[in-house]
Amino acid sequence: MVLGGFLFVVLLCVGAFTAGYLLIDIPPANATATKQANVYLYADGTELARDDSKGMNRENVPLSKVPKHVQHAVLAAEDRDFYGESAVDPKAMLRAAYNTVTGKGKQSGSTITQQYVKNYYLGQEQTVTRKVKEFFIAIKLDREVSKDDILEGYLNTSYFGRNAYGVQAAAQAYYGKDVEDLTVGQGAYLATLVNAPNAYDVSAHPENKPNAMGRWNYVLGGMVKEGWLPASERQQKFPMPKQAKGNQDLSGQRGYVVKAVEDYLIDNRIIEENDLHKGGYRITTTLQKPRQDAFVEAVDDQVMSKVDKKARKIDRNVRVGGASVDPATGKVVAMYGGIDYTKQFVNNATRRDYQVGSTFKPFVFTSAVQNDSVTQAGQPITPNTVYDGNNKRPVVGWDGGTYAPANEDDGMYGDITVREATDKSVNSVYAQMAVDVGSKQVKDTAVALGVPEKTRDMYASPSIALGTATASVLDMTQAYATLANHGQHGSYTMVEKVTRNGEEVTLPERGEKTAVSREAADTTTSVLRSVVDSGTGTAALAAGRPAAGKTGTAEEDKAAWFAGYTPDLATVVAIMGADPETAKQTPLYGALGEARINGGGYPAKIWAQFTKEALKGKPVKDFDLELEAGADVPPPDPSEPPEDPGTDEDTGGTTDGTDGGTDGTDGGTADGGATTDGGTDQGGQGGPGQGGQTQGQNQGPTGGPAQGGQTEGQDQGQTQGPTQGQTEGPTGGGAQGGAADGGAADGGAADGGGQSQGALGGLTQGTTTGRGGRD
């Protein structure tokens, strides 16, 4: 019975194979010559652009015109056993099917013959029916035509990106030459593109160059392994392709939008790349025409109108990118990609190769609140926590070696609160905070907010706080939109609806989730409001709306950023420097007639003009914030004495005056003030009378808090304490004489009786000593 059953299955398979082979004929070529355009619409249904409306860019060439090294490069990339294998590879097909079913992504188990059949005779749809047809047509084709004919057809039908179908069109699109003139390295690069054109075009996506080079080296290595390239010729210089030229039908911002939407559809696996470029799709985007126009106008008014390429050569290098997202929905409502898609192909809003600078700092603070982080001294991190903001101060608590970042212009800020350090973008404070929080936690928070996990140079180290990561403008807009949305994150979307031949394409769910707590997001917003109100981002006030934001500058001033939001709209603007000939990043010193370009200047001005126009006619909303505990408690004001805790003014000095006198001696000795801060090593060695009045009074202003204390009971407790407390206490601070915890923030309550403990000495001793010491 088992043998009979086995034979039955074998006969059934043979019968099915025979039937399939006999019934499925080789069809005529698909109608690519009548390829349709993809139509892109604004959110309101008005037409934005038509892509590829003039047909397909292809020029067929005979195999004899394709150099052997180019043929071998393609074989090394796609199918090294092409000439010695059958038309299909069942093992590879089963492996690909298994990987697809088990969630490892859609895998291709196709030989070059099968890929050619798909390109030339069938379509790109991922269906069982198509795979079955592909299987039998490939077998028949392999029996009826030569391997050379199949390879020739494959090279002429494969898609290489840049709307180039076939290797000849690709050679012109990437290197401006015929295929027969390609070098070994150039041929290997074109072979690299066949696998994933969108991912490996290093001109359109400079950030993908490492991946492209890895694939390119794989191709060259395969050529050596197969004996197609001498090992001595293996060392090749990577052949950078020329800058792409945009379709003239996609001039202005249209081409940038179309390319960004294409990337979105492909990267999210909504439509396969080859299928998308066959056309026929009607794509409704989330972009709103009035806001799109407002973005262009803001850039033109604030920057492009000031560009003078004749007077200043550096002005040729000015690039602008921008994106705006509705925080509540995640919809991209406007985007600025560059001056003109036909003149500058790379989209400045989506490129991921410029450092984001200090626009990353808010993520460090958000992570601190989210993780209930404390300083090295054990203090909770709030907007009012005091840090040492001096230039090149080595971070403490990190075991990765010495790290002492410089502040912008080598600024020395001394003791400074987190809020003020954010206003002034103090690097030394935020590098230390990254250590206090844990740089791994900082990275995790940034990813949760919306920064892609694989963002280049986003390392888990203190430097993460300074914005070495190279996220795109759109990435940063998504992250700031999460802050604006009280910590709720959903991936941004650029597409409302997609149809083809009347059938709607399924779009992914946005899937909103909590990225960080509301307290973490809202407390960050409260800090960023200060940046706009009184910090480096005051130019954003011109929007006429309650706003939060952060400025940023890349290393060597190669880019300047402003990232900000209102309750209704999150927008990020960046000005970048790039050589128009080589695309190399350049500093922007002297551009637009300015010594330097910083985020609080032109980027913030663009942001303000766009935001004002984009929200025109809408009600003005204020932020509805829920802050972490202690976030709304201001630090002590060093210009005013703290309030009396309630002791009796008339009798406060009688009993405690004696203590004040004793403490005056201690205060004089221990707390007179560190010599580095202007005090003396000892505040006075006399008795209580001298130590309290003389030394506290003389040395308090430049040393620690008021060390005077009371020396003779009631009279001095009342008479001397108030004078010395008011005059001397706020100036210094504890044993540190004005160090991080002894100034206005913690030791500011005037210590009329002196105190040897330092950090909180003023407030504690003042309470003990009565009104005389309290003041």
Side-chain angles (χ1 to χ4, degrees):
M1 289 177 65
V2 172
L3 179 61
F6 174 74
L7 291 174
F8 175 76
V9 171
V10 170
L11 289 173
L12 189 64
C13 291
V14 171
F17 178 86
T18 303
Y21 187 84
L22 293 175
L23 293 175
I24 298 177
D25 294 323
I26 299 176
N30 55 37
T32 54
T34 59
K35 174 177 162 310
Q36 302 178 68
N38 288 325
V39 180
Y40 295 81
L41 309 172
Y42 283 110
D44 63 3
T46 58
E47 186 171 309
L48 191 159
R50 285 179 177 265
D51 189 22
D52 297 334
S53 59
K54 292 185 178 180
M56 187 176 295
N57 177 23
R58 171 186 288 135
E59 182 183 348
N60 290 342
V61 292
L63 190 63
S64 59
K65 290 284 188 180
V66 181
K68 280 291 184 182
H69 59 259
V70 176
Q71 297 180 39
H72 290 151
V74 173
L75 296 178
E78 299 297 315
D79 190 355
R80 298 178 185 182
D81 297 324
F82 171 71
Y83 277 99
E85 69 185 359
S86 61
V88 296
D89 186 347
K91 287 195 300 182
M93 293 177 67
L94 289 173
R95 182 175 65 250
Y98 174 78
N99 288 337
T100 300
V101 170
T102 55
K104 296 181 180 179
K106 293 181 179 179
Q107 303 281 318
S108 174
S110 302
T111 64
I112 276 183
T113 304
Q114 288 173 276
Q115 292 182 56
Y116 170 55
V117 168
K118 179 179 65 174
N119 291 341
Y120 192 68
Y121 296 105
L122 302 174
Q124 304 295 323
E125 63 275 6
Q126 297 286 338
T127 63
V128 174
T129 302
R130 196 219 77 198
K131 293 297 291 184
V132 170
K133 288 182 179 180
E134 177 188 296
F135 180 84
F136 286 110
I137 294 172
I139 293 175
K140 279 191 172 184
L141 193 68
D142 195 47
R143 293 172 61 88
E144 296 181 15
V145 300
S146 69
K147 290 283 189 180
D148 281 352
D149 288 339
I150 292 173
L151 181 59
E152 177 182 304
Y154 177 73
L155 291 173
N156 282 316
T157 57
S158 293
Y159 180 63
F160 289 83
R162 298 192 182 183
N163 195 35
Y165 288 81
V167 68
Q168 169 63 16
Q172 286 291 343
Y174 287 90
Y175 293 107
K177 58 174 67 174
D178 291 331
V179 64
E180 56 191 313
D181 298 324
L182 292 174
T183 66
V184 172
Q186 291 169 344
Y189 177 67
L190 293 188
T192 294
L193 292 167
V194 175
N195 181 262
N198 193 59
Y200 295 137
D201 186 345
V202 298
S203 177
H205 295 284
E207 68 276 8
N208 289 343
K209 186 176 179 180
N211 293 335
M213 289 188 67
R215 178 75 177 173
W216 177 73
N217 279 308
Y218 165 79
V219 172
L220 291 174
M223 294 174 71
V224 172
K225 184 177 180 180
E226 297 296 327
W228 297 328
L229 179 69
S232 60
E233 298 179 20
R234 167 66 182 78
Q235 295 299 325
Q236 299 276 333
K237 182 180 179 181
F238 184 75
M240 278 296 294
K242 68 176 186 176
Q243 293 293 304
K245 294 181 179 179
N247 187 331
Q248 290 296 324
D249 293 333
L250 300 177
S251 60
Q253 297 301 307
R254 292 178 297 174
Y256 298 122
V257 173
V258 167
K259 187 67 172 66
V261 171
E262 282 185 357
D263 291 348
Y264 175 82
L265 293 170
I266 294 167
D267 293 345
N268 288 281
R269 297 184 177 181
I270 298 170
I271 304 174
E272 294 294 325
E273 185 171 1
N274 281 333
D275 206 24
L276 179 63
H277 286 279
K278 288 184 180 297
Y281 290 94
R282 189 174 181 85
I283 302 163
T284 303
T285 71
T286 59
L287 274 78
Q288 299 170 7
K289 191 175 188 306
R291 288 176 167 176
Q292 184 70 11
D293 293 343
F295 220 139
V296 174
E297 186 174 359
V299 174
D300 287 346
D301 289 349
Q302 298 297 335
V303 174
M304 302 318 299
S305 63
K306 298 175 176 61
V307 168
D308 189 341
K309 297 179 181 179
K310 293 182 179 179
R312 297 179 296 269
K313 185 177 180 181
I314 188 63
D315 280 11
R316 301 183 311 132
N317 298 14
V318 173
R319 303 283 183 270
V320 180
S324 188
V325 170
D326 182 337
T329 64
K331 295 178 180 179
V332 180
V333 298
M335 173 183 289
Y336 186 91
I339 183 64
D340 190 319
Y341 184 70
T342 63
K343 298 176 181 178
Q344 177 207 318
F345 184 72
V346 180
N347 189 336
N348 295 323
T350 59
R351 64 189 304 165
R352 293 186 173 120
D353 58 336
Y354 281 85
Q355 291 180 345
V356 301
S358 292
T359 57
F360 199 93
K361 283 189 173 83
F363 307 154
V364 182
F365 180 73
T366 304
S367 190
V369 182
Q370 176 70 14
N371 293 288
D372 297 320
S373 301
V374 297
T375 66
Q376 297 291 308
Q379 288 183 295
I381 298 176
T382 73
N384 302 311
T385 302
V386 176
Y387 274 92
D388 180 351
N390 283 322
N391 187 50
K392 296 183 180 179
R393 180 182 67 81
V395 298
V396 178
W398 186 56
D399 57 6
T402 302
Y403 183 65
N407 293 327
E408 185 174 8
D409 297 328
D410 292 326
M412 298 288 288
Y413 297 99
D415 295 341
I416 188 171
T417 65
V418 169
R419 187 181 298 276
E420 189 177 358
T422 310
D423 290 349
K424 297 177 179 178
S425 205
V426 181
N427 290 338
S428 57
V429 169
Y430 269 90
Q432 181 63 58
M433 193 189 301
V435 174
D436 296 343
V437 177
S439 50
K440 174 62 167 59
Q441 284 78 5
V442 171
K443 180 177 179 180
D444 290 344
T445 298
V447 171
L449 291 172
V451 180
E453 185 172 7
K454 295 184 179 180
T455 297
R456 189 159 54 89
D457 295 338
M458 189 166 65
Y459 303 120
S461 71
S463 65
I464 194 172
L466 276 59
T468 56
T470 57
S472 73
V473 168
L474 185 54
D475 294 334
M476 295 299 286
T477 310
Q478 177 178 223
Y480 272 72
T482 304
L483 294 175
N485 198 33
H486 308 293
Q488 296 300 304
H489 170 69
S491 298
Y492 73 81
T493 176
M494 298 191 69
V495 176
E496 291 270 18
K497 184 179 179 180
V498 180
T499 60
R500 189 185 198 190
N501 298 326
E503 295 184 6
E504 194 163 334
V505 176
T506 302
L507 299 177
E509 296 290 334
R510 183 166 181 254
E512 186 172 278
K513 61 182 180 180
T514 300
V516 295
S517 68
R518 176 161 185 168
E519 289 77 11
D522 287 1
T523 306
T524 302
T525 297
S526 76
V527 172
L528 296 184
R529 290 199 66 180
S530 296
V531 175
V532 173
D533 291 340
S534 57
T536 57
T538 54
L541 291 171
R545 301 264 173 169
K550 184 71 187 74
T551 58
T553 307
E555 189 176 11
E556 297 181 345
D557 284 14
K558 293 178 180 177
W561 297 67
F562 184 79
Y565 51 94
T566 69
D568 302 294
L569 204 59
T571 306
V572 177
V573 179
I575 296 181
M576 310 162 180
D579 187 291
E581 302 299 328
T582 65
K584 181 181 178 181
Q585 296 184 17
T586 64
L588 286 168
Y589 301 123
L592 307 176
E594 303 285 341
R596 298 175 64 179
I597 302 294
N598 56 58
Y602 291 112
K605 292 176 182 178
I606 293 172
W607 186 95
Q609 180 176 329
F610 165 73
T611 301
K612 182 176 183 178
E613 183 63 27
L615 296 177
K616 187 176 182 180
K618 294 188 176 296
V620 176
K621 289 185 182 179
D622 203 351
F623 290 100
D624 177 20
L625 305 179
E626 295 179 9
L627 307 183
E628 68 167 327
D632 54 354
V633 178
D637 187 345
S639 65
E640 297 180 3
E643 294 181 2
D644 193 311
T647 54
D648 190 335
E649 292 186 19
D650 295 330
T651 61
T654 304
T655 302
D656 294 336
T658 304
D659 293 339
T662 303
D663 289 340
T665 305
D666 294 340
T669 303
D671 297 339
T675 55
T676 54
D677 291 323
T680 60
D681 290 331
Q682 297 182 351
Q685 300 296 340
Q690 296 175 354
Q693 180 176 353
T694 306
Q695 298 299 335
Q697 192 171 23
N698 291 343
Q699 296 170 14
T702 54
Q707 286 88 6
Q710 287 66 37
T711 62
E712 294 182 356
Q714 183 174 3
D715 291 339
Q716 292 174 334
Q718 292 179 347
T719 304
Q720 296 168 8
T723 303
Q724 294 159 12
Q726 289 177 355
T727 304
E728 301 151 22
T731 308
Q736 303 300 322
D741 296 325
D746 298 325
D751 188 357
Q755 176 68 348
S756 60
Q757 283 81 9
L760 296 174
L763 182 57
T764 305
Q765 192 62 28
T767 304
T768 303
T769 314
R771 187 178 186 278
R774 173 70 175 79
D775 286 346

